[in-house]
Amino acid sequence: MRPTALRTCRLTLRQKNPFQIQSNVQQPIANARTLTSGTYRVPKPFNEPNTFMQLHFSPGSPERQKLSTALEDLKARLPVKVPAIGGLNSTVNTSTNLTSLHHPHEHASTFQQFASATEEDVQKAIETALKAKKEWRDMLFTDRASIFLRAADLVSGKYRFELLAATMLGQGKNAWQAEIDAAAELADFFRYNVSFAQEIYDKQPTVNAPSHYGRTDWRPLEGFVYSISPFNFTAIGGNLVSAPALMGNVVVWKPAPMTAYQSWLVHKILLEAGLPEGVVQLVNGDAELITDVVFNHREFSALTFIGSSDVFRMLNVKAAQGLAEKRYRDFPRLAGETSGKNFHLIGPSADVPNAARHTVRAAYEYAGQKCSACSRIYVPESQAELFFSEMKKELARVKVGPPEEYTSFTGPVIGKKAFERISSAIDSANKDSKVETIVGGTYDDSVGYYINPTLYKVSDPSHWLFDKELFGPVLATYVYPDNKFSETLDHIDSRGGGFALTGNIFSNDQKAVREAENRLRYAAGNFYVNCKITAAVIGQQSFGGARASGTCDKAGSSGLLMRFVAPRTLKEEFNKLDEVMYPSNMEEGAM
């Protein structure tokens, strides 16, 4: 039989449709592996080596030329059209009403047009996923792992520059920000999630009584997982589907509208890597409509979400209503990471020029639209003049401009709604007597949605600028008396709008570092020392916060994957039971 299977593979590989290749070779491979023996171990994960490969897109570099070519190729195809439901044979009906989305940096031009799923489409996507569940659940983990490892290599190789171009034009990221997101982090999520899944499966009982054998069956959830991904990272969608899917779950994936095409591309890569078509159902369209269908389905077992705190609260309430009505078979798991009013703290002993450089990157890269971006900073009086001088110097070098111009450091915000929210806040701050503008405080939407990097000095540590989440390139500074360091820690912990995602301290005083780490223990889920707060790397620093920042399940760790399993405990005994009664039940003299 094995030579026949091999001949089938050879014949199949001659076909012209690359998607059909995967469909035909997949089953013989799965059958062949069930005939082999051994306890397989997945390869050790590694971070995508963009630094070591020098993919910095410097002038004249090969990678800059490849990326420029990819950008031109994509521009020639705009606007890209995206079907309502992803899949190998999905198409956009020419009679369908499409939603158009524009470039953030050039709102007169359309980047993408996507079709919207109907209630019937969403219901069909759920049923398609559930039909695929048994085969996917029963597939050997080593085979599921191979699919995602293959996808990681497709991301880092064949599709790298196509992903970067789509992320730059669709989300407004410059070359480097697109590289560390759509190439490096996406590949890292696929590779490390494989390793985290292995870590979970390896957790087995280590203590057994004589003649007893205990085991843990790491079952996937019984229904389906609903994944909602945000606009700001292409890679996050890949994480939110790979984490549950690797554990044997099926997923309905709703990406943010601004990433419809980028997410379609990620889905295409997964299918090309061999993911069975029903396992991840990509659904575009109205978020409320899609969510209503999902939350009304009996098989809804889990939500994995990244977005705003208010939306996540609403989803929790919606799930609670379903539970109250006994709508679901399971108690749905809700895993969410939202955002933060993230802080930098400069101590009196800090290397201020270093702190300023880190702060410019943390506050103004990607126009302050990272979940982890710095939006409030606390500076001692003795260092304030130097800090502001260094910030002015560094920000004078920062260019605000379109993402395909390589010299642009800060790009546009994602769209009109974001622009209006941030510009309105800037108008209010500019008129506030408690607020001094150090840099910026201006904006321009004549061509794209540009907010200039803005640095404020605020005299009141309880000012709304230290609480309100703006999600843009606006940084509020409070200058504290050097002898009020401890009191300042209280301000940091009590402010921040209830969020608790990222924070740090710059200090060369270890006592101050220890005090800050201890006193701010719950103020940030990711805390850094002498390092910017947008510094988490998959496999090195897991990511997530508590309070209003989410459920702290830690993306980039096995903790997130654990939310998508329902462990079953197994016990087997080899000895025989000879007596029902215990010695304590025996009558006197019976023994």
Side-chain angles (χ1 to χ4, degrees), residues 551-570:
T551 53
C552 207
D553 293 297
K554 290 295 185 182
S557 78
S558 60
L560 180 62
L561 278 70
M562 287 284 280
R563 296 303 305 272
F564 310 117
V565 291
R568 180 172 64 139
T569 299
L570 304 171

Side-chain angles (χ1 to χ4, degrees), residues 55-72 75 161 164-165 168 173-179 399 401-410:
L55 290 182
H56 291 293
F57 307 95
S58 55
S61 64
E63 67 270 15
R64 181 182 280 208
Q65 180 57 51
K66 291 178 181 179
L67 179 54
S68 296
T69 299
L71 285 165
E72 292 305 314
K75 287 179 183 178
F161 296 103
L164 265 57
M168 292 170 70
K173 293 194 172 186
N174 66 19
W176 178 247
Q177 294 301 311
E179 163 67 21
K399 176 185 174 182
E404 68 265 37
E405 291 184 11
Y406 289 94
T407 53
S408 297
F409 182 88
T410 299

Side-chain angles (χ1 to χ4, degrees), residues 152-203:
D153 271 29
L154 288 171
V155 167
S156 64
K158 177 180 177 180
Y159 287 99
R160 187 186 209 105
F161 296 103
E162 189 174 347
L163 283 163
L164 265 57
T167 299
M168 292 170 70
L169 298 181
Q171 290 143 277
K173 293 194 172 186
N174 66 19
W176 178 247
Q177 294 301 311
E179 163 67 21
I180 60 178
D181 167 17
E185 188 160 283
L186 180 57
D188 285 357
F189 272 132
F190 288 161
R191 293 184 180 121
Y192 274 92
N193 281 345
V194 166
S195 177
F196 298 142
Q198 179 80 71
E199 178 185 325
I200 291 171
Y201 288 132
D202 284 347
K203 293 180 185 295

